[in-house]
Amino acid sequence: MLDDANDTMNALKSVTVDGKTTTVATGEGFSTRLTTDLKGTCSFSQTWTNSARLEQIRIGDVDYVRPNRAYLKMAGKDGTAKGEQKRWVKSPAKQTAFESEESGLSHCTREFGSFGKATKGDPTEVDGRRAIPLVVTDKAVKEGAYTFYVATEGKPYLLKVAYKGTDYRTTTTFSDFDKPVDVRAPAKGDVLDASGIEPLT
């Protein structure tokens, strides 16, 4: 059943992915939202509980990235200026100043695959859609378990993935399957072109 869901998700032309990660000890964490054609066009945002926010628009080989003041401060940059930071930084995707595994920028693509052993649970609903939960355990995941919720009506879309561990919890939901992706570049007046400038490290 999970393999069918992964096949269905890998065949998508577009999807919206909402995620939330919370640390058990502090309750702090972040949320994300990605709308993507699963190729090279997407919009992405990540917001932390400390009000830091990073936004990204990727259209082909061009990135537009906008960090707010709180994000700049969190990243060790100058975030002391007054007023909100409204400018987008434009640069080639391969040269984006914030491009690193740590920054969390999206590459617009996503792969769906199976792992571990799945145990079927009782029927439930996810955002009003009927689904079957599949609890997945794996030797490599010793302190937590994943639950995959697969739609039981229409195509077997993957509707939600929840991870419950001792240190943190995550929830990822999927929606807008194969809906047109309306991703546009910011207004020119709001863009700072950083092409040719050395990336920040």
Side-chain angles (χ1 to χ4, degrees):
M1 189 174 187
L2 189 54
D3 287 339
D4 290 341
N6 288 327
D7 289 343
T8 299
M9 299 299 286
N10 283 318
L12 287 174
K13 302 300 182 183
S14 64
V15 68
T16 293
V17 185
D18 289 286
K20 183 177 182 179
T21 298
T22 304
T23 302
V24 174
T26 64
E28 297 179 346
F30 59 87
S31 60
T32 61
R33 183 174 179 85
L34 170 68
T35 297
T36 176
D37 68 356
L38 296 167
K39 293 181 180 179
T41 299
C42 62
S43 63
F44 175 75
S45 65
Q46 186 166 6
T47 305
W48 285 261
T49 49
N50 64 1
S51 298
R53 181 175 174 83
L54 181 65
E55 299 172 89
Q56 172 197 7
I57 295 172
R58 176 169 289 188
I59 301 175
D61 58 358
V62 175
D63 264 337
Y64 301 87
V65 179
R66 180 167 67 178
N68 68 2
R69 299 289 183 202
Y71 178 89
L72 291 173
K73 183 178 180 180
M74 184 177 71
K77 309 300 179 183
D78 182 10
T80 60
K82 295 182 179 180
E84 190 48 78
Q85 198 298 107
K86 298 182 179 180
R87 302 292 294 276
W88 294 81
V89 178
K90 175 186 176 181
S91 62
K94 63 182 180 180
Q95 183 191 310
T96 301
F98 300 93
E99 185 83 296
S100 70
E101 292 297 326
E102 290 76 20
S103 72
L105 288 183
S106 175
H107 294 282
C108 301
T109 58
R110 190 181 183 99
E111 294 183 0
F112 298 89
S114 300
F115 64 94
K117 179 180 179 181
T119 302
K120 186 181 297 186
D122 296 327
T124 185
E125 288 190 356
V126 176
D127 295 331
R129 302 184 68 165
R130 293 182 180 180
I132 286 289
L134 300 171
V135 179
V136 175
T137 55
D138 188 84
K139 292 181 179 180
V141 185
K142 299 180 180 180
E143 299 180 352
Y146 289 87
T147 303
F148 293 75
Y149 296 82
V150 179
T152 57
E153 295 180 335
K155 293 183 178 181
Y157 292 122
L158 183 60
L159 302 178
K160 183 172 75 170
V161 180
Y163 171 77
K164 185 176 181 180
T166 56
D167 295 330
Y168 66 94
R169 312 284 170 84
T170 67
T171 302
T172 306
T173 58
F174 304 90
S175 61
D176 297 336
F177 306 108
D178 283 332
K179 289 188 176 181
V181 174
D182 185 15
V183 174
R184 304 180 185 182
K188 290 184 178 180
D190 295 331
V191 174
L192 173 64
D193 194 336
S195 300
I197 299 177
E198 286 296 322
L200 297 177
T201 56

